[in-house]
Amino acid sequence: MDAVIRSNTMGEFDLIAHYFTRPVQRAALGVGDDCALLVPTPGMQLAVSSDMLVEGRHFFANTNPERLGHKALAVNLSDLAACGARPLACTLALSLPCIDAAWLDPFARGLLALADAHGCELIGGDTTQGPLNICITVLGEVPAGQALLRSGARVGDDIYASGTLGDARLALEALQGRITLAAPALASARQRLEAPTPRVALGQALRAIARSAIDVSDGLLGDLGHILRASGVGACVDISKTINLIAVSAEDIKATGQFGTELLPQCTLAGGDDYELLFTAAPTQRSAVAAAAQASNTPVARIGQIEAAPGLRLINAHGQQVVQRYASFDHFA
Ligand code: ADP
Ligand code: MG
């Protein structure tokens, strides 16, 4: 038990029982004991990942709590997706300033709706009083040896990105007043920022097809850099194939602030908070990749190629090298 949280009517254990305890589904034991118990499927490896969301750092204090519950789990499910793992269960470590039903109700609803959509059972956690801080650990499973890793890219591989890139960053820039978007465009970009879609089905469909994968959390180029370093290769990316991956259209951007014409490439290439999959596959797998995209109902675009020469080169539609630099998000930069 932790620093006790109390409202007039509810304490820490009532809170856990009311908001976060449900009948167990797949787990052998869920919320309520010192540990939860989970029985691994024979022949599978457990995939485990944690992500923390801190108020003021990862989200605004006034963020819609239902979307926040969704996002806190979505960013974790995205890590399972990047490894090609199937979600099994999650734990929730929550630091809360106070017990506020008007916040906890929608937060739990958003989190548990996404958990249910992916068969990811909430089996435990920790609850304490403190600044708002949400840390989720997800557990998934993947057939032994089949996890998609950052280290598997090979020279000649095609590079692909799923879905749309850059809209979350556009929304952030707009919400912070640095650019201006038309209202409908802001609403859709904001949805991408606050309620991202983890590409769980695509990740699993890419097992045995993709050679490497990562989820785009800090920006396309920075995250591609992780694949290149882990795999000991370089890459060439055609930025004309990335620019149209942003969903908001240029006409919806009313003012670009200091970014000018660089706004769209900057957001697409280095925006962050996209939670799309970035992966590589041999050119012989092009039809298999297309079939995986179709089966998982997730668009994918081929944006470049893995090369032997180290480093990341950007080219335009005419094959000319682009010298502009795009920095990805780094919490400590
Ligand atoms: P302990 O003190 O033994 O660590 P706690 O009192 O912290 O146990 O938690 C009691 C039970 O409630 C445990 O099973 C724990 O996993 C679960 N739990 C605590 N907080 C949460 C939460 N936010 N969501 C889900 N389960 C939780
Ligand atoms: Mg505890």
Side-chain angles (χ1 to χ4, degrees), residues 1-2 12 125-127:
M1 124 133 198
D2 291 280
E12 173 188 339
D126 197 24
T127 306

Side-chain angles (χ1 to χ4, degrees), residues 24-41:
V24 283
Q25 298 159 36
R26 191 179 355 218
L29 184 66
V31 169
D33 213 305
D34 292 309
C35 290
L37 297 173
L38 204 59
V39 182
T41 309

